[in-house]
Amino acid sequence: MKKIVAVVGSFRENSFNKQLALKVKEMMKGEAELEVLEYSDVPLFNEDIEFPAPKEVSRVREKIKAADGVWFFTPEYNHSYPGVLKNLLDWLSRPVSQEEPQVLFGKAAAMSGAAYGMPGTATAQEYLIPLLFFFNMRLMNSPRVTVGNIGEQLDQNGKVQLSPNSAKFLEDQVKAFLAFTD
Ligand SMILES: Cc1cc2nc3c(=O)[nH]c(=O)nc-3n(C[C@H](O)[C@H](O)[C@H](O)COP(=O)(O)O)c2cc1C
């Protein structure tokens, strides 16, 4: 079965973007396994500690290497993507060793996001796109899903309850990405 790694740009327990990732996991059931990458233990990047890589960094690199695709679920922070995501990508962009190149090269990628603002992470995604191309990731640029006004798509407990429209867009993206990773 296909393996998809979800990289969520928020460490928040109740993260809407993590919930979006978990909805995609449900939608993929039977066709692909989606694992939300745990990377809150990855240290701040510092060339002084780059080699040998800290074990937390080696662990996430192995997850990415083993994946058929990487799906980014990014919040929007100040019209860009969050720093924790940039820190992770800085680590992943570096060669594993003198013999082994970086792990993102040629890897299939998809992108979605949820935000309080109406554009729903559109600007954050516009900043993330060139970065992924810079790493030579194989980004599925369309469809990408932007769930805006997420505050209006919550149940009484504050859990994401997607509108039929948003759910349909996400289902279409799931189908497209499964085909893209073939
Ligand atoms: C530092 C910071 C900056 C933010 N900037 C934006 C923004 O530019 N646009 C927007 O729609 N929401 C912005 N927000 C609100 C986020 O959409 C909201 O906090 C969202 O829930 C974050 O995603 P998460 O639920 O996955 O953690 C910002 C939030 C924080 C903490």
Side-chain angles (χ1 to χ4, degrees):
M1 193 164 328
K2 273 184 191 169
K3 284 188 188 167
I4 306 296
V5 165
V7 176
V8 178
S10 169
F11 294 159
R12 202 166 71 84
E13 187 61 36
N14 196 38
S15 162
F16 301 140
N17 285 280
K18 186 168 154 194
Q19 292 184 55
L20 215 56
L22 295 175
K23 291 201 184 293
V24 166
K25 182 184 171 84
E26 280 302 306
M27 290 174 186
M28 282 183 167
K29 243 185 190 148
E31 292 185 77
E33 274 172 18
L34 181 142
E35 180 182 346
V36 176
L37 186 73
E38 174 53 54
Y39 68 97
S40 58
D41 55 353
V42 167
L44 288 176
F45 185 82
N46 177 344
E47 284 191 76
D48 290 343
I49 60 165
E50 193 178 358
F51 301 109
K55 63 179 189 316
E56 297 82 1
V57 173
S58 302
R59 185 182 55 78
V60 294
R61 282 178 171 151
E62 289 306 316
K63 295 277 184 193
I64 300 291
K65 269 162 67 177
D68 296 292
V70 179
W71 193 323
F72 293 91
F73 293 86
T74 185
E76 182 161 302
Y77 280 5
N78 301 313
H79 284 192
S80 189
Y81 49 83
V84 293
L85 183 53
K86 180 62 161 58
N87 184 60
L88 175 72
L89 287 169
D90 284 340
W91 275 110
L92 295 177
S93 72
R94 302 288 283 175
V96 176
S97 66
Q98 274 187 341
E99 295 76 38
E100 198 182 336
Q102 54 100 331
V103 297
L104 299 171
F105 190 96
K107 193 66 74 177
M111 198 185 291
S112 309
Y116 275 112
M118 197 174 67
T121 75
T123 315
Q125 292 191 25
E126 290 301 325
Y127 280 109
L128 190 54
I129 289 166
L131 196 58
L132 302 191
F133 279 125
F134 184 68
F135 304 143
N136 281 329
M137 293 193 86
R138 197 168 69 83
L139 174 66
M140 183 179 77
N141 191 45
S142 174
R144 285 186 278 111
V145 167
T146 53
V147 183
N149 293 332
I150 189 70
E152 293 171 14
Q153 297 181 61
L154 305 176
D155 67 16
Q156 291 134 326
N157 302 315
K159 297 287 176 202
V160 173
Q161 192 169 45
L162 290 177
S163 69
N165 248 358
S166 298
K168 173 78 170 68
F169 279 124
L170 206 56
E171 274 161 16
D172 288 348
Q173 194 182 17
V174 167
K175 275 191 213 125
F177 196 47
L178 289 178
F180 191 81
T181 51
D182 272 345

